[in-house]
Amino acid sequence: MPSPAAPKLSLQIFGEDADNQDRLFSGRTNEDDMLPSRQRLGELLVTHRLLTADQLAQALDEQRRRPQPLGQILIGMGFITEERLLQACAVQKGVSAWHLQHDPPAPEALALVPGNLCRSHMLLPVRVKPDRLYLAMRDPGDIDAIDMVRNITKMRIEPVLASEERLVRAVEEAHGTANGDADVTARLVSEALNEIQGDAGEADGGVTEAEMRPVVGLVNEILAEAVRLRASDIHIEPRKDRVEIRYRLDGQLQRVHEIPIKLRAPLTARLKIMSNLDIVEYRVPQDGRMTFTASGRTVDVRVSVMPAYHGQRIVLRVLDKSATLRALDDLGFNDYNRGLFEEMIRKPYGLVLVTGPTGSGKTTTLYAAINQLKEVSNNIMTCEDPVEYDMDGVNQSNVNEKIGVTFATQLRAIMRQDPDVVLVGEIRDQETAEAAIRAALTGHLVLSTLHCNDAPSAIPRLTDMGIEPFLLSTALIGVTGQRLVRELCPQCKEQYAPSPEDRAQIGTAFAGDLPVLWRAVGCPQCTGTGYSGRMAVHEVFPVAPEVQHAIAACEPMDALRRTASRYGYRTMQEDAVERVLTGRTSLSEARRLVFFDTNIVLPAGPRLEQRAA
């Protein structure tokens, strides 16, 4: 929907070229208009007077602060409408634009191309003419996809550009997601079973290439489906008589497929070959990685294989390399916590930690901080395992423990590279912790992650690793703890009157009359879960001088919390309660991930009342 600023882009501003612009951006184009443009998108928009040079400069400045596609930023700033942006992108690619909101796909066109092909290549047939088929695509330059559709339909293909967001929705409406994927997987399983003869492939180790070949398509479909559903992890779990496949969607595991036990060994062997692991070794755990492309997106996959009672259990962590970096504004910080966090990362030296369990968004938060600190005058260096996002202007390096390049050894090498800011992927042991603290004490800002339950728990966690309390108190600037909670689906969430149990669960954090709460229901839009997407809840633990003295004196956790609360520390429970009261998430979801202490009075109860009002 155009923003209030959009009317500025009316044809009156085009001057003498108004007729040409009207033709170009209303679909009445000639062959010359459809030639691919070598101009960048911003330059093209300025050339056609859809943007001023000033507006483009503002958008590029915003893009440097918030790494997002330029078109998305332009729409958000109100400089251009979605329709005109799509037209400009189409001109840039040398094709026509297709507005799915005005021209939905024709049923006779949809029937020509299988749903699994539409989902895997993100395309949709939209119109049939006697001599051609119009194919709405996210990437009209995908020649392989066009050739496949041409071979299936035996028709001339006319690719057109469609908005990716609208195309995804249209594909899901036309062909569904889960049911269609299940049908494809079931067919591939049936084909693989027919090709495997006798008992071949049932024993671990010793699987031949011929025995593996039938499951190649099945493995590709499992990986592609996980990418389409935006799964963060794939769990392949052997049982006594079957293999269960579960995806972690929005932080929760969901069982999506059951594979016959006969395919267990070739499936395992295929994944191990793709990740360069030893297929003969099945007695010890193995770790590897691979790169996979699905739906036009390249993903890194980290692979962990572990022997279990019924066979080798495999977990694949999916890292989408095409995902854009998040800005601090987009991480879910409330204004108060964001102010504390920004104050910490703006210090010239010291140690800043982000804590939480695996998959809680710690690395995303650190990348957002690094992106905000990125300047020409700064030398920012990282050691990661692995590098998850390629950041322009940041010197990134990978840890490789197989050849002895650990976090500690890499960090020592980085210190000889004249860094200003250092990101250490994770503090796992005493050696890495000591190297990070030494760097923080010698004039460098060090950012890292740590696995522990909450922000204050980072102090005993590091002292347990062998760090002296007096060194830790001197080096540590502050700690952020976070969790990712699921957001209620806006389409189906419903209000309800809180029960006495709900009031007791929230405890004394909310002193006044509890207003209505929201709960999950479930609808087709959220595949029946009642939730759609996730957001972070935080707590920020600043290390003020009085807190430093408490750490050096080895005071207990309760004393550390009380002292830090005088300098702005607010628990994660309070942040979670705030999201519950504003209808962003449910009380049950908040309690699933955040520890609720109903016996304490949070220092900011009245503030929550004001926010809810």
Side-chain angles (χ1 to χ4, degrees), residues 332-344 480-481 537-541 568-572 574-576 578-579 607 611:
F333 279 104
N334 62 37
D335 292 341
Y336 183 83
N337 282 337
R338 181 186 165 182
L340 286 176
F341 184 71
E342 285 191 321
E343 186 180 342
M344 292 190 316
T480 296
V537 292
H538 302 90
E539 62 180 10
V540 182
F541 184 89
Y569 169 64
R570 297 171 181 170
T571 67
M572 201 181 301
E574 182 183 346
D575 196 20
E578 181 182 320
R579 312 305 173 92
R607 187 180 67 259
R611 291 189 185 221

Side-chain angles (χ1 to χ4, degrees), residues 531-556:
Y531 296 92
S532 178
R534 291 190 291 174
M535 62 179 172
V537 292
H538 302 90
E539 62 180 10
V540 182
F541 184 89
V543 179
E546 192 178 347
V547 179
Q548 288 181 330
H549 295 318
I551 294 172
C554 299
E555 291 190 10

Side-chain angles (χ1 to χ4, degrees), residues 110-185:
L110 290 175
L112 295 174
V113 181
N116 63 316
L117 180 59
C118 293
R119 286 192 299 270
S120 61
H121 289 275
M122 203 44 62
L123 52 85
L124 202 63
V126 288
R127 193 72 75 241
V128 181
K129 289 201 172 179
D131 62 336
R132 73 186 70 183
L133 173 67
Y134 286 86
L135 192 64
M137 304 180 71
R138 175 177 60 188
D139 177 15
D142 188 347
I143 303 300
D144 292 339
I146 293 171
D147 286 344
M148 278 190 275
V149 175
R150 182 185 295 116
N151 292 336
I152 289 171
T153 61
K154 310 300 182 188
M155 297 180 71
R156 178 184 168 191
I157 305 302
E158 180 77 24
V160 293
L161 181 68
S163 158
E164 180 174 357
E165 185 179 342
R166 295 188 184 277
L167 184 59
V168 169
R169 285 205 298 267
V171 170
E172 289 179 356
E173 288 172 6
H175 299 290
T177 51
N179 291 337
D181 291 333
D183 292 342
V184 173
T185 305

Side-chain angles (χ1 to χ4, degrees), residues 6-327:
K8 293 180 182 177
L9 298 173
S10 61
L11 293 177
Q12 282 84 337
I13 69 168
F14 296 147
E16 297 178 355
D17 295 331
D19 292 339
N20 292 334
Q21 295 299 332
D22 183 45
R23 187 188 76 252
L24 184 60
F25 289 92
S26 63
R28 300 193 304 276
T29 55
N30 56 38
E31 290 183 5
D32 290 339
D33 293 329
M34 287 296 100
L35 292 174
S37 170
R38 295 184 180 179
Q39 286 182 299
R40 294 184 177 184
L41 177 62
E43 296 169 351
L44 184 70
L45 292 170
V46 172
T47 299
H48 288 291
R49 301 190 185 182
L50 290 171
L51 272 189
T52 66
D54 234 9
Q55 289 172 328
L56 177 60
Q58 288 180 49
L60 291 174
D61 283 344
E62 181 67 15
Q63 189 181 42
R64 278 188 281 273
R65 287 193 296 271
R66 287 174 175 273
Q68 290 180 351
L70 179 61
Q72 188 177 329
I73 290 172
L74 290 169
I75 292 174
M77 296 179 77
F79 292 159
I80 195 168
T81 63
E82 178 189 333
E83 292 186 8
R84 287 195 169 175
L85 177 67
L86 183 64
Q87 290 284 164
C89 290
V91 170
Q92 187 186 36
K93 295 177 183 293
V95 297
S96 298
W98 194 276
H99 302 286
L100 287 165
Q101 66 270 39
H102 303 311
D103 293 309
E108 62 271 20
L110 290 175
L112 295 174
V113 181
N116 63 316
L117 180 59
C118 293
R119 286 192 299 270
S120 61
H121 289 275
M122 203 44 62
L123 52 85
L124 202 63
V126 288
R127 193 72 75 241
V128 181
K129 289 201 172 179
D131 62 336
R132 73 186 70 183
L133 173 67
Y134 286 86
L135 192 64
M137 304 180 71
R138 175 177 60 188
D139 177 15
D142 188 347
I143 303 300
D144 292 339
I146 293 171
D147 286 344
M148 278 190 275
V149 175
R150 182 185 295 116
N151 292 336
I152 289 171
T153 61
K154 310 300 182 188
M155 297 180 71
R156 178 184 168 191
I157 305 302
E158 180 77 24
V160 293
L161 181 68
S163 158
E164 180 174 357
E165 185 179 342
R166 295 188 184 277
L167 184 59
V168 169
R169 285 205 298 267
V171 170
E172 289 179 356
E173 288 172 6
H175 299 290
T177 51
N179 291 337
D181 291 333
D183 292 342
V184 173
T185 305
R187 177 177 58 78
L188 291 169
V189 166
S190 176
E191 291 174 0
L193 286 172
N194 290 336
E195 288 189 46
I196 292 179
Q197 301 298 321
D199 295 331
E202 291 189 359
D204 278 317
V207 178
T208 66
E209 185 178 347
E211 292 166 352
M212 231 182 297
R213 194 174 300 118
V215 300
V216 169
L218 175 61
V219 170
N220 290 343
E221 175 59 25
I222 289 170
L223 292 169
E225 179 187 22
V227 172
R228 286 194 297 272
L229 296 178
R230 295 180 176 85
S232 60
D233 299 88
I234 306 169
H235 290 236
I236 299 174
E237 303 168 318
R239 308 298 185 204
K240 182 178 180 181
D241 57 352
R242 67 194 185 283
V243 178
E244 288 185 359
I245 297 179
R246 297 193 289 170
Y247 297 159
R248 189 174 293 281
L249 305 172
D250 287 337
Q252 284 205 317
L253 283 171
Q254 296 184 26
R255 186 170 62 187
V256 289
H257 300 298
E258 286 189 0
I259 306 296
I261 193 66
K262 193 173 184 179
L263 298 181
R264 173 177 58 82
L267 186 71
T268 301
R270 173 62 183 166
L271 285 167
K272 290 172 80 171
I273 280 184
M274 291 175 72
S275 46
N276 294 316
L277 299 178
D278 186 350
I279 66 169
V280 178
E281 180 57 73
Y282 59 91
R283 299 162 299 175
V284 298
Q286 296 185 64
D287 294 310
R289 60 187 301 176
M290 61 173 135
T291 300
F292 184 78
T293 302
S295 301
R297 293 152 62 190
T298 301
V299 296
D300 274 341
V301 181
R302 281 188 280 178
V303 183
S304 172
V305 182
M306 188 185 78
Y309 186 67
H310 292 296
Q312 297 175 82
R313 186 180 189 279
I314 303 175
V315 175
L316 301 99
R317 166 62 59 89
V318 181
L319 304 171
D320 190 351
K321 294 177 73 173
S322 65
T324 56
L325 288 173
R326 309 283 292 275

